Amino acid sequence: MKLTDFHFPDKEIGFGRLLKVMQDHGFIFGEQWDYERATFDLKMPDERDAGTFYLRVPCFTIDGDIPHDETLVKLMTPLLGRHYYPHGVEYGEDEGFPDKIINRSKQKLSAVDEELND
């Protein structure tokens, strides 16, 4: 599910600053990065709905190589996904995301967006 209520797409920022802000908000720098693309993931388990959800913020380089601090990256549209064992994460609009997971995702993204704008 794409979360489009934020100013993330086309926001450009230094990778070092982005990494610090994302880690401060509980996101993990995804291990599947290459020198041009990276993702930041936040795992949100929900025992009541018996599911695990992931909030993903992808980015790609404008100038430089990831993971250098001075590399300029552009953020892309955040995604909310639901994990299905053993197949992986699905990001479709029809995955039946609980309202509390959607709201928590939006709160996290708002906090990140606000800090990136400072």
Side-chain angles (χ1 to χ4, degrees):
M1 168 182 199
K2 291 183 179 182
L3 298 171
T4 58
D5 300 340
F6 304 93
H7 300 102
F8 279 39
D10 301 325
K11 181 178 291 228
E12 295 179 6
I13 188 167
F15 183 77
R17 180 160 184 254
L18 177 63
L19 179 62
K20 180 180 181 341
V21 168
M22 297 304 276
Q23 288 177 335
D24 288 350
H25 288 277
F27 285 82
I28 295 172
F29 175 40
E31 295 178 8
Q32 66 280 7
W33 65 274
D34 60 28
Y35 295 107
E36 296 176 351
R37 286 177 241 148
T39 58
F40 294 91
D41 296 319
L42 178 67
K43 183 178 181 179
M44 297 182 288
D46 185 13
E47 286 80 27
R48 196 176 119 227
D49 289 319
T52 300
F53 302 90
Y54 288 89
L55 178 56
R56 172 167 278 187
V57 178
C59 65
F60 65 94
T61 60
I62 300 298
D63 184 32
D65 292 329
I66 292 173
H68 301 292
D69 287 349
E70 66 279 357
T71 297
L72 184 63
V73 297
K74 184 182 277 192
L75 296 175
M76 300 167 67
T77 303
L79 302 167
L80 180 59
R82 178 181 217 137
H83 184 264
Y84 292 97
Y85 179 82
H87 303 291
V89 180
E90 294 291 332
Y91 295 99
E93 299 291 327
D94 58 348
E95 295 303 320
F97 298 106
D99 288 339
K100 69 180 178 180
I101 294 295
I102 293 171
N103 292 336
R104 181 174 177 206
S105 298
K106 289 181 176 182
Q107 289 171 350
K108 279 288 187 182
L109 292 173
S110 290
V112 167
D113 195 24
E114 184 176 315
E115 191 167 338
L116 291 176
N117 287 327
D118 288 345

